[in-house]
Amino acid sequence: EEVMPMPKAVQLEKRDAVWLLIIDQPEKMNALGFAGNDEITALWRDFASDRSARVAVVTGAGEKSFCAGADLKTYTMPFATAPAMEFRHKFTNGPGFAGITRGMEINKPVIAAVNGYAMSGGLELALAADIRFCSPNAQFAFQDVRWGFHPCDGGCVRLPQIVGLGHAMELILSGNRIDAEHAYRIGLVNRIVAGDRLLEESLQYAEQLASRAPLAQQAAKEVVLAAYGKAMEDALRMESRSFYDLGQTEDLDEGTTAFREKRDAAFKGR
């Protein structure tokens, strides 16, 4: 008897230099279990190592949910059961939920197109992106305190950096949901886009980013993230050193030449 392969939990579309990752579990509100987490982790590793890949967009299938976090049916309650502890050990000691929340350094731009619910781990995935666009029906929440725990894949760390301490405490300590307008007001999302335009606009923006100097983007992202928590003098020195290193690249020569010649630059990542 022929065994049919299991459908993939995450789909990948390569659009030249832009990679589109789609969590394809709409019947589960795009929650991810063990297998799905492994799939998306592998895709992020491929994206990080592929020199032709410059920008990634991550979204969820359908119109209701971006990602509802971990698929709790992957293990049984209570949380201290063996399957649950295996689940947490896997994520705590690995790359974290959805592959990029912890332990994986991706210095290329990542955009989250949040189409609906971004709950718990799903919100942590969105926070691990550099830029967040959302649909008007988007809902954001860390529901963890309702069930006895707290965010554990970057939520307690990244959210205060993005929205400030007060707004972060409100979300983390209450477990309450906020809507798209609230998320935009506190800086959690960069823009709200009509649902039928969200993916298209996210991809168009990604294509624009992909036309910029990749080495400069990668170096800038590294500086921005590494500067958190550093003394001002040390952070400024880090920025200056990074700028000096870019001065040795072909891309900078191409960029300045293009400026003088009044044309668009054609960056090679060298």
Side-chain angles (χ1 to χ4, degrees), residues 55 114 137 158 161 166 213 258 260:
V55 183
V114 181
N137 69 321
R158 292 190 178 96
Q161 296 176 353
R260 288 195 303 272

Side-chain angles (χ1 to χ4, degrees), residues 19-264:
W19 285 26
L20 172 62
L21 284 70
I22 305 170
I23 302 173
D24 192 12
Q25 303 273 273
E27 72 284 357
K28 301 178 181 179
M29 303 297 283
N30 294 320
L32 284 170
F34 275 128
N37 204 74
D38 288 345
E39 285 179 29
I40 197 168
T41 298
L43 291 176
W44 286 125
R45 288 196 177 115
D46 290 345
F47 171 71
S49 62
D50 190 326
R51 285 181 56 84
S52 69
R54 294 197 178 174
V55 183
V57 176
V58 60
T59 193
E63 301 175 357
K64 293 183 179 179
S65 183
F66 169 70
C67 177
D71 181 5
L72 297 182
K73 293 179 182 177
T74 304
Y75 56 86
T76 56
M77 288 299 190
F79 198 72
T81 59
M85 295 308 290
E86 178 190 357
F87 188 87
R88 280 266 37 101
H89 178 79
K90 183 181 179 70
F91 288 156
T92 302
N93 294 282
F97 179 75
I100 59 169
T101 55
R102 180 181 52 255
M104 188 181 298
E105 299 297 327
I106 295 181
N107 57 10
K108 303 175 184 181
V110 177
I111 300 168
V114 181
N115 52 316
Y117 292 110
M119 300 294 172
S120 297
L123 177 49
E124 287 173 304
L125 169 59
L127 292 172
D130 304 300
I131 296 164
R132 286 158 293 280
F133 296 167
C134 79
S135 55
N137 69 321
Q139 297 272 323
F140 304 86
F142 281 130
Q143 301 184 99
D144 309 59
V145 292
R146 298 177 61 189
W147 317 125
F149 44 102
H150 64 65
C152 50
D153 288 289
C156 293
V157 178
R158 292 190 178 96
L159 187 63
Q161 296 176 353
I162 293 168
V163 304
L165 193 58
H167 294 305
M169 288 296 193
E170 183 179 5
L171 274 167
I172 292 168
L173 301 183
S174 73
N176 293 339
R177 298 180 186 179
I178 62 171
D179 61 16
E181 290 293 341
H182 189 148
Y184 180 72
R185 176 171 59 79
I186 65 176
L188 177 55
V189 298
N190 297 77
R191 62 180 76 167
I192 302 171
V193 184
D196 60 353
R197 290 269 310 152
L198 175 64
L199 187 55
E200 182 181 353
E201 188 161 323
S202 298
L203 288 168
Q204 286 177 351
Y205 189 78
E207 289 166 3
Q208 183 185 79
L209 291 184
S211 73
R212 308 304 194 221
L215 296 180
Q217 288 174 330
Q218 292 163 23
K221 180 172 175 176
E222 288 175 354
V223 169
V224 169
L225 296 179
Y228 270 109
K230 293 281 196 304
M232 179 65 76
E233 184 178 347
D234 293 337
L236 290 172
R237 190 178 296 113
M238 188 187 308
E239 181 186 53
S240 180
R241 177 70 210 190
S242 177
F243 183 80
Y244 174 82
D245 291 342
L246 282 173
Q248 318 305 309
T249 65
E250 293 178 24
D251 275 0
L252 182 63
D253 186 53
E254 162 62 12
T256 53
T257 301
F259 177 79
R260 288 195 303 272
E261 296 177 355
K262 298 182 179 179
R263 60 173 174 82
D264 290 334

